[in-house]
Amino acid sequence: MSDKAAFDLWWKNAVIYCVDVELFADSDGDGVGDFAGLTDKVDYLAGLGVTCIWLMPFYPTPNKDNGYDISDFYGVDPRLGTLGDLVDFLRAARERGIRVIADLVVNHTSDQHPWFQSARADEHSRWRDFYVWADEQPSGPPGVVFPDAEDSNWDYDEVAGKWFLHRFYSHMPDLNIANPAVRDEINKIVGYWLELGISGFRVDAAPFVIELDGTKHEADQDPHAFLRDLRAFLNRRRGDAILLAEANLPQKDQRRFFGDEGGDEMHMLFNFILNQRVFLALVRQDPAPVTACLQELPPVPQTNQWANFIKNHDELTLDKLTDDEREEVFAALAPDPDMRSFGRGIRRRVPTMLEGDRARIELLYSLLFTLPGTPVLLYGEEIGLGDDQRVPGRGAVRVAMQWSAGRGAGFTTGDPAVPLVTDGPYGPDRVNVAEERRDPGSLLNWMERAIRARKELPEFGWGECRVLDTDQPAVLAHRCDWLGGSVLALHNFGPDPVEVAVELGDGADGRMLEVVGDQAYEPAKPGEPLALEGFGYRWLRLT
């Protein structure tokens, strides 16, 4: 594939930034972030180097599940502004070269959605078969997503006199994906937002979207056919739009969501397994879990891509680790059981998990930018935003952005109506954008430099990745090659300085140019050991 294709397949070398509008910036002092506030911060995001903004749900909602309980797929929550405010934001982002993708949450609706209200009230309603009903409570499907709140995937509706399926909360009934009318409505939703300028969608809970358990058609439909049809519809309407799916599954099952050999389903998948192995490696001070995961990753079509992340808007899920491995990570990063959620995850942000250890924080994000795939940042990661353990559940990590010191953190001029870290080592008087902008050594300025370098090294996004042999067990060395260019990344997971010899392989006997490092090292020379400080890292271009 030629390098010209890199401009078409923009997601292969993007830097994606996840924003919760209600938590980012409040323009009118009502204590809730809004689209006007986000528009005012587009220049900040452009300066950071972001190339794509991922919007968490902004649709009308009763807001019982952080906006994922949607009551209208075609609108904007009035707390966040108007449809016109959203369009203003999209235009501002586009003028600065930033694409915008939105959450596509079509596994379920709110029970307040007019579809469900009509469906439950009248068995002859055209919306009745938009949901999955049963006369008696079924035993499956297995597994309850939120065992702290639900004990079954079915709930009885007094009005309908039937049981309805909900894989998440009981106030979020599942849509019947086996119904062609539901699929057609999802296409309409996608088409609507594409027309307004959205560049694609993050597909929430993709495995549940295509689950047919409990429907009348589970035996005679290929569930992945819907994803192929959705992809085809999306790209007919807009050829450069993407689908980025959340599918936390074992690797062999996850690979199916890319589609067949040509990659005809999801363009991108979050790499949950690699994320979990990164934290296990960090705790063990041994890169072996990451090395094994990279070597086990199934090959993907050239037009598809893994999306890498350190922290997302939910708990840090560790469900793909063994029980013993999970306990290792819990003991190190969430020693208090109250810091954990659902028995499988950690409801903390990275700075609090690592007690503000700047060296290990940089190590993690250096990994994020160099591992094969596209990096995804959660808002606030660039400044070391903390969490609020007083907020129950995984909402502890969903706190307001901190723009300046003082009351309201520059997020609002009024009384905050959303969680805001008010004091302590991660309060706004110590962690905020304004102060970090003025400090050349701040995490914010480090992140901006790292993003700039990452965008100039497309080999990490496009290239073939190989883990290299070293003589230091604490060091991960990997090399990415693409169209004659090669880059090398070194990461020391241990606390002690080392001199590491790396088997670079063919075509690496020329110069080695330092691009990024945790400090200024002596110039690297092929065939000679490379120095690394404890928890140190280096990015080198091989010429």
Side-chain angles (χ1 to χ4, degrees):
M1 182 172 291
S2 74
D3 55 351
K4 293 180 180 179
F7 298 103
D8 297 328
L9 307 182
W10 57 270
W11 58 89
K12 296 276 286 188
N13 203 45
V15 177
I16 301 174
Y17 187 93
C18 174
V19 170
D20 189 333
V21 178
E22 74 168 352
L23 298 173
F24 203 61
D26 170 23
S27 70
D28 57 10
D30 67 352
V32 177
D34 47 45
F35 274 109
L38 176 56
T39 303
D40 288 342
K41 302 299 184 182
V42 168
D43 284 323
Y44 164 79
L45 296 175
L48 182 61
V50 169
T51 62
C52 177
I53 296 171
W54 154 27
L55 296 176
M56 290 175 62
F58 53 81
Y59 314 99
T61 172
N63 210 28
K64 294 181 180 179
D65 185 27
N66 205 56
Y68 284 90
D69 50 325
I70 295 169
S71 57
D72 178 5
F73 289 107
Y74 296 100
V76 172
D77 188 331
R79 298 177 310 129
L80 310 182
T82 67
L83 197 58
D85 293 329
L86 168 59
V87 172
D88 281 348
F89 158 69
L90 293 174
R91 186 179 187 280
R94 183 176 67 249
E95 290 300 315
R96 290 157 182 82
I98 299 175
R99 297 173 186 264
V100 178
I101 64 174
D103 254 312
L104 182 66
V105 187
V106 291
N107 170 64
H108 51 255
T109 70
S110 165
D111 60 5
Q112 300 304 305
H113 197 292
W115 299 348
F116 188 74
Q117 290 298 311
S118 177
R120 69 196 294 241
D122 181 1
E123 64 179 328
H124 301 296
S125 166
R126 61 170 296 212
W127 309 111
R128 184 71 161 205
D129 198 37
F130 265 52
Y131 299 89
V132 183
W133 304 94
D135 293 327
E136 303 292 336
Q137 183 178 12
S139 58
V144 175
V145 176
F146 300 129
D148 63 329
E150 306 288 347
D151 56 12
S152 171
N153 289 312
W154 295 86
D155 203 64
Y156 187 74
D157 184 69
E158 296 285 351
V159 175
K162 289 180 177 289
W163 295 83
F164 65 89
L165 177 67
H166 61 88
R167 288 310 306 263
F168 293 88
Y169 294 110
S170 57
H171 58 79
M172 293 155 62
D174 276 21
L175 287 166
N176 179 10
I177 199 65
N179 182 352
V182 172
R183 298 184 181 203
D184 184 59
E185 193 66 38
I186 292 172
N187 283 348
K188 289 179 183 178
I189 294 165
V190 166
Y192 175 81
W193 292 109
L194 290 177
E195 287 296 318
L196 286 180
I198 293 292
S199 292
F201 302 88
R202 177 259 189 185
V203 182
D204 182 61
F208 295 119
V209 170
I210 63 172
E211 186 177 68
L212 298 176
D213 286 352
T215 72
K216 299 175 182 177
H217 306 281
E218 58 185 287
D220 60 0
Q221 286 195 22
D222 173 11
H224 281 266
F226 168 63
L227 296 183
R228 291 192 292 271
D229 291 346
L230 181 64
R231 164 74 176 268
F233 174 84
L234 176 91
N235 288 145
R236 284 199 308 272
R237 290 293 181 92
R238 180 168 173 176
D240 63 346
I242 65 161
L243 296 170
L244 166 58
E246 176 191 35
N248 182 16
L249 297 168
Q251 287 176 338
K252 63 181 179 61
D253 298 320
Q254 192 179 40
R255 169 63 183 83
R256 292 189 63 197
F257 283 80
F258 282 125
D260 295 330
E261 185 175 346
D264 57 357
E265 293 185 28
M266 302 293 98
H267 298 79
M268 303 177 71
L269 292 177
F270 286 107
N271 202 334
F272 281 93
I273 295 177
L274 181 56
N275 173 259
Q276 296 178 46
R277 298 286 183 85
V278 163
F279 279 94
L280 180 61
L282 184 76
V283 166
R284 289 182 172 178
Q285 300 183 354
D286 179 354
V290 175
T291 299
C293 187
L294 290 174
Q295 293 172 337
E296 294 164 4
L297 280 179
V300 301
Q302 195 168 21
T303 57
N304 296 89
Q305 182 72 301
W306 295 107
N308 298 319
F309 62 99
I310 297 300
K311 191 68 190 72
N312 62 18
H313 58 284
D314 290 329
E315 75 278 7
L316 169 63
T317 184
L318 303 170
D319 64 320
K320 296 300 182 291
L321 301 182
T322 67
D323 291 345
D324 289 343
E325 290 169 342
R326 190 178 308 113
E327 287 303 320
E328 275 187 76
V329 181
F330 278 162
L333 304 182
D336 185 340
D338 287 342
M339 298 172 177
R340 308 169 192 175
S341 58
F342 313 124
R344 62 174 185 250
I346 297 175
R347 56 188 210 98
R348 307 180 80 189
R349 281 187 176 239
V350 169
T352 57
M353 282 192 278
L354 300 183
E355 298 180 335
D357 184 344
R358 177 67 180 270
R360 288 191 295 164
I361 291 171
E362 285 189 22
L363 179 73
L364 277 180
Y365 289 100
S366 175
L367 269 171
L368 171 68
F369 292 125
T370 59
L371 289 170
T374 295
V376 181
L377 288 166
L378 175 64
Y379 77 94
E381 283 188 286
E382 72 274 18
I383 62 170
L385 187 65
D387 50 64
D388 187 348
Q389 291 296 304
R390 295 169 297 183
V391 179
R394 53 188 179 173
V397 305
R398 298 167 178 169
V399 296
M401 184 66 172
Q402 296 169 187
W403 297 99
S404 60
R407 181 180 177 277
F411 164 75
T412 183
T413 57
D415 294 325
V418 296
L420 174 69
V421 179
T422 55
D423 51 23
Y426 304 100
D429 288 347
R430 299 192 183 186
V431 177
N432 67 73
V433 171
E435 293 292 336
E436 294 194 30
R437 271 178 163 165
R438 293 191 286 267
D439 178 4
S442 69
L443 182 60
L444 174 60
N445 279 304
W446 179 91
M447 198 76 74
E448 183 180 330
R449 293 191 296 270
I451 289 173
R452 183 186 307 119
R454 170 63 180 78
K455 289 159 65 177
E456 294 173 355
L457 299 173
E459 291 89 349
F460 287 129
W462 278 86
E464 177 188 358
C465 176
R466 290 179 287 162
V467 177
L468 305 177
D469 291 332
T470 78
D471 63 347
Q472 294 290 343
V475 175
L476 170 67
H478 67 280
R479 170 179 170 174
C480 295
D481 300 279
W482 183 60
L483 293 179
S486 300
V487 289
L488 169 69
L490 301 169
H491 292 88
N492 181 9
F493 282 74
D496 301 319
V498 295
E499 296 276 339
V500 56
V502 183
E503 295 291 334
L504 294 176
D506 297 336
D509 53 358
R511 290 191 302 160
M512 304 172 71
L513 304 179
E514 197 93 24
V515 180
V516 171
D518 62 292
Q519 62 170 262
Y521 290 100
E522 290 295 320
K525 297 178 181 179
E528 295 186 7
L530 296 162
L532 277 174
E533 284 298 312
F535 303 123
Y537 52 88
R538 299 176 74 173
W539 310 0
L540 300 139
R541 178 169 285 289
L542 309 179
T543 66

